[in-house]
Amino acid sequence: MRQATFNSLCNILRPWLTRQNTKYRLAVPVEVRVGVCIWRLATNLEYRSISHLFGVGLSTCCRITQEVVTAINFVLKPKYIRHPTAAELRVIVQGFRDRWHFPQVAGAIDGTHIKIRAPAENSASYYNRKGDYSIILQAVVDHRLRFWDINVGRAGKIHDARVFALSSLYQRGMDGKLFPDWRETFEGVDVPLVLLGDSAYPLLPWLMKPYPEGAAVTADQINFNFKLSQARMAVERAFGRLKGRWRCLLKECDAHITFVSRIVSACCVLHNYLEVHEEEYLNGEVEAEEGGDVMEGRCDYQQQPDIRNALCRYFSAL
């Protein structure tokens, strides 16, 4: 993060983080407050070391981190993680078309696990298939690797498809309120705006997933799966950058379960903040893991296979 970007962040948060001096002590400056929180999130260094590094008391470090994380979620999140406007949506759709040659894509969706310390209550619900305790971050990203929708906090034992079904994103999609009715005709079928997901997600008119792999898969379907995978990797790369920058998400988060979700949310906001300010990403991207268990749901819409088959024929004809 460049100095100018850091200063801009401090100025945005200053009204919420400024404290009054007293006759007994001087207040910790906003720059130090933001620096303590950023250092903690970016390195996962223990508070004792951060305390010595910044010359601030141990308990003060803990309190400052909580205050800054809360301020980031309250002040910055509504601006940096929100549903795209119509103009922004056109840019996203064109971005996916230009970069990966996949039409009518408004975003890529996936989930990732964030390790946590086993909660005192109901810990079995957080024990995932990889043998860790975790919560799930579900996110939708655009072609520039920026999050425009996040859902964080579901227990790690829950399947990606169930997390999706419980999210407000799913409800808006099923109510027809997620995207405008912009359609484009491919192979005689009107194709609406869609999200791209992996095999763990259900096939919906507004969510594309790959064909199930097996002996019956055709060459055209394999080609479609490849095209979809290429475009969908945007969300995997976004998770890689998120965890590469904010390395507290790579290790077991030792915060209380009620605060972990706020930390993850703040990291997503800061990720978008840095991407918007075009900060260079220097680390090698952390390999995004996931890929939930395959769940082939029932097709409740006749449209679903028609849309996917039309796109499959379109790619085959290119």
Side-chain angles (χ1 to χ4, degrees), residues 28 32 36 48-58 60-61:
V28 178
V32 175
V36 165
R48 189 177 304 279
S49 299
I50 296 175
S51 170
H52 291 305
L53 193 63
F54 285 86
V56 179
L58 182 61
T60 304
C61 273

Side-chain angles (χ1 to χ4, degrees), residues 85-95 182:
T85 63
E88 290 167 341
L89 208 50
R90 290 191 187 279
V91 172
I92 293 171
V93 172
Q94 192 60 45
W182 299 344

Side-chain angles (χ1 to χ4, degrees), residues 138-152:
Q138 174 191 279
V140 180
V141 305
D142 64 16
H143 63 293
R144 295 165 297 190
L145 313 185
R146 300 175 188 173
F147 301 111
W148 62 255
D149 184 271
I150 61 171
N151 182 289
V152 58

Side-chain angles (χ1 to χ4, degrees), residues 13 16-19 25-41 47 50-51 54-72 259 263:
L13 298 175
W16 284 266
L17 296 178
T18 301
R19 300 293 183 266
R25 58 168 178 78
L26 298 176
V28 178
V30 170
E31 287 75 12
V32 175
R33 289 176 177 273
V34 176
V36 165
C37 181
I38 294 292
W39 203 274
R40 169 66 175 175
L41 299 180
Y47 282 118
I50 296 175
S51 170
F54 285 86
V56 179
L58 182 61
S59 60
T60 304
C61 273
C62 299
R63 190 178 70 252
I64 283 174
T65 300
Q66 292 180 356
E67 290 173 353
V68 176
V69 163
T70 302
I72 288 170
F259 194 66
I263 291 174

Side-chain angles (χ1 to χ4, degrees), residues 6-25:
F6 177 78
N7 290 340
S8 175
L9 179 63
C10 292
N11 290 333
I12 294 170
L13 298 175
R14 195 176 302 279
W16 284 266
L17 296 178
T18 301
R19 300 293 183 266
Q20 295 294 322
N21 294 330
T22 70
K23 64 172 68 175
Y24 302 106
R25 58 168 178 78

Side-chain angles (χ1 to χ4, degrees), residues 101-312:
H101 311 293
F102 206 115
Q104 294 293 89
V105 176
I109 184 171
D110 202 2
T112 187
H113 287 267
I114 308 297
K115 294 180 185 177
I116 61 171
R117 183 177 292 172
E121 297 180 6
N122 202 21
S123 61
S125 298
Y126 293 87
Y127 192 74
N128 64 37
R129 58 191 170 83
K130 295 194 172 186
D132 301 311
Y133 293 94
S134 67
I135 61 169
I136 297 173
L137 164 63
Q138 174 191 279
V140 180
V141 305
D142 64 16
H143 63 293
R144 295 165 297 190
L145 313 185
R146 300 175 188 173
F147 301 111
W148 62 255
D149 184 271
I150 61 171
N151 182 289
V152 58
R154 293 292 177 183
K157 189 176 182 179
I158 303 177
H159 189 276
D160 280 356
R162 181 62 179 158
V163 174
F164 173 64
L166 292 171
S167 67
S168 61
L169 180 82
Y170 176 81
Q171 194 59 54
R172 281 179 285 153
M174 299 306 287
D175 291 342
K177 298 176 181 178
L178 188 60
F179 300 128
D181 191 24
W182 299 344
R183 295 176 180 269
E184 193 171 341
T185 303
F186 295 94
E187 303 294 321
V189 177
D190 289 341
V191 177
L193 295 183
V194 298
L195 298 177
L196 301 181
D198 62 17
S199 299
Y201 290 94
L203 181 64
L204 300 169
W206 49 274
L207 197 155
M208 279 295 104
K209 62 182 284 186
Y211 286 96
E213 296 182 2
V217 69
T218 67
D220 289 345
Q221 291 173 347
I222 291 174
N223 180 53
F224 173 86
N225 287 358
F226 176 72
K227 296 285 188 183
L228 187 146
S229 177
Q230 278 188 315
R232 197 191 64 79
M233 282 303 292
V235 67
E236 303 283 5
R237 291 183 59 207
F239 284 149
R241 286 197 177 194
L242 174 72
K243 293 185 176 183
R245 278 187 172 126
W246 311 107
R247 303 188 83 84
C248 66
L249 303 180
L250 282 175
K251 310 268 182 74
E252 181 185 277
C253 186
D254 57 4
H256 192 272
I257 186 66
T258 57
F259 194 66
V260 174
S261 295
R262 280 190 252 174
I263 291 174
V264 177
S265 177
C267 289
C268 292
V269 173
L270 290 171
H271 165 88
N272 276 12
Y273 176 79
L274 296 181
E275 291 293 329
V276 168
H277 285 79
E278 298 181 342
E279 290 293 339
E280 187 178 0
Y281 181 72
L282 300 175
N283 300 329
E285 288 177 11
V286 176
E287 183 179 354
E289 70 287 354
E290 311 335 314
D293 300 327
V294 175
M295 181 179 284
E296 294 296 337
R298 257 184 328 115
C299 289
D300 296 324
Y301 296 87
Q302 182 59 40
Q303 266 188 305
Q304 297 167 190
D306 289 347
I307 293 170
R308 184 165 66 177
N309 291 338
L311 289 173
C312 181

